Amino acid sequence: MTVLQAGPADPAWMHLAADSLLVMHIAGGAIGIVSGTVALLSRKGERLHRAAGTVFFVSMLIAYAVGAGVAPFLADGQRTNFTAGILALYLLLSAWVTVRRAEGSVGGFEVAGFLVASTIVAAGVVFMQLAANDPTGTIDGSPPQAFYVFVAGGAFGAAGDLHMILRRGLSGVARIARHLWRMC
């Protein structure tokens, strides 16, 4: 199976589950695009911005979690999608925690985030090597260059986490900048 679809002979509950996951993934992304646009265009810190940001967070959390959660169960070409889903979840959650945590404080979440981001970098490097050494020049149909974004995004994220941990938190402009680049 390369797509999330139940076969004609599969039970009805499998069709319902596959269809529900697909609808949740697509709807989450669509709602996230609209609510993210509203959050970006609204006055920062005001009720509309916070409401749109919350809708964005929840909808994208659903879209990313479904995408990352389903990818390992599909047969072909899913290492790229799984890694992308984990990177997206990491960025979304760390952006949310940035504005939820009190200014100038840091906790275990940032340490865990640093480890996740570092793992994404390592996975990207391994996948690049596997693709480069494969006779087809690809891994799961993706060339080594497809994994550059994971290495770069993960490295920037890990560096930001380490910076925040060493400074024992962020405040002011640095805190808002962290939130924005991870959300966008």
Side-chain angles (χ1 to χ4, degrees), residues 95-115:
W96 180 73
V97 168
T98 297
V99 294
R100 290 300 200 190
R101 187 177 300 287
E103 287 195 33
S105 65
V106 68
F109 185 88
E110 288 77 15
V111 174
F114 172 75
L115 295 174

Side-chain angles (χ1 to χ4, degrees), residues 2-184:
T2 58
V3 295
L4 187 60
Q5 293 179 336
D10 291 333
W13 69 267
M14 286 183 80
H15 287 270
L16 180 62
D19 291 347
S20 296
L21 287 171
L22 186 60
V23 167
M24 288 169 50
H25 180 66
I26 293 169
I31 293 167
I33 289 169
V34 173
S35 59
T37 301
V38 171
L40 281 171
L41 296 176
S42 63
R43 190 169 171 91
K44 306 308 172 249
E46 301 226 341
R47 186 184 322 197
L48 179 60
H49 174 78
R50 289 192 312 268
T54 299
V55 171
F56 173 83
F57 173 77
V58 171
S59 63
M60 295 311 285
L61 181 65
I62 290 167
Y64 296 158
V66 169
V70 167
F73 298 100
L74 303 177
D76 298 325
Q78 298 306 313
R79 282 178 268 207
T80 307
N81 291 335
F82 177 71
T83 307
I86 297 300
L87 177 60
L89 277 168
Y90 156 75
L91 291 171
L92 178 73
L93 291 170
S94 60
W96 180 73
V97 168
T98 297
V99 294
R100 290 300 200 190
R101 187 177 300 287
E103 287 195 33
S105 65
V106 68
F109 185 88
E110 288 77 15
V111 174
F114 172 75
L115 295 174
V116 168
S118 298
T119 301
I120 290 168
V121 172
V125 169
V126 167
F127 293 155
M128 282 191 291
Q129 285 298 115
L130 289 172
N133 293 326
D134 191 273
T136 66
T138 67
I139 182 171
D140 294 339
S142 298
Q145 298 82 357
F147 298 98
Y148 290 176
V149 71
F150 305 129
V151 173
F156 281 124
D161 290 339
L162 184 60
H163 175 75
M164 184 171 176
I165 292 165
L166 294 175
R167 286 187 61 184
R168 303 202 191 289
L170 299 174
S171 59
V173 173
R175 181 172 171 252
I176 299 302
R178 176 182 170 89
H179 172 69
L180 282 175
W181 93 260
R182 287 166 185 263
M183 276 298 194
C184 295

